Every structure is written in structure tokens, then in C-alpha cells.
Amino acid sequence: MTLGILATFGVLSILLYAFKGFIDQLPDFFASLRRAWEAWQELKRARREAREREAAQREAARRRAARREAAERHGSQSQPAA
């Protein structure tokens, strides 16, 4: 009987020790999870900004080409025929 009680409490102490170790790691786990989430959000933001910047550059290049084409058309119309 005594041996059974000692064995039971021995197992309980091991379980409590393991549970305490698990609980002690939770703050670090959540801090790491938060850092990973923030890094993911930063990556998404950087990719979105790069896409927006590339789209703005393409639009600016398109407008420059349209202006250049319009200027060429205007220039060819204003020259007298020889």
C-alpha cells in the first residue's frame, strides 16, 4: 500500500515537473510567434509596396511614351510638305 502511494506521488511529481517546464516555455513561444507574425506582415507590406511602386513606374513610362508619340505626331503634322 505504501509503495503504491509513493509510486503514485512519484509519477505525479514527474508530471508536475514536466507540466511546469511546458508552462515556463509558453512566454518565449508566444514571443516567437509574435515576432514571426510581425515579420510576415512586414514581408507582405514590402511586397505590396514593391508592386505599387512597379505599377507606378509602368504607368509613368506609359504616359511618357504616349506624350512622346503625341509630340512626334504633332511635329510631323506641323512640318510643311517639301
Side-chain angles (χ1 to χ4, degrees), residues 3-21:
L3 194 56
I5 293 172
L6 286 175
T8 302
F9 281 105
V11 169
L12 282 175
S13 69
I14 291 170
L15 289 175
L16 282 174
Y17 183 76
F19 185 68
K20 183 185 177 304

Side-chain angles (χ1 to χ4, degrees), residues 30-68:
F30 287 120
S32 177
L33 191 62
R34 187 188 75 246
R35 286 191 304 272
W37 176 260
E38 290 170 353
W40 178 254
Q41 296 300 316
E42 175 64 24
L43 176 65
K44 286 181 14 180
R45 184 190 61 77
R47 291 172 113 182
R48 183 177 55 246
E49 288 176 356
R51 277 194 312 269
E52 290 170 355
R53 198 170 32 252
E54 289 172 2
Q57 289 172 351
R58 282 193 303 270
E59 179 64 21
R62 187 190 65 75
R63 287 181 181 174
R64 282 192 303 271
R67 278 195 304 267
R68 189 170 39 248

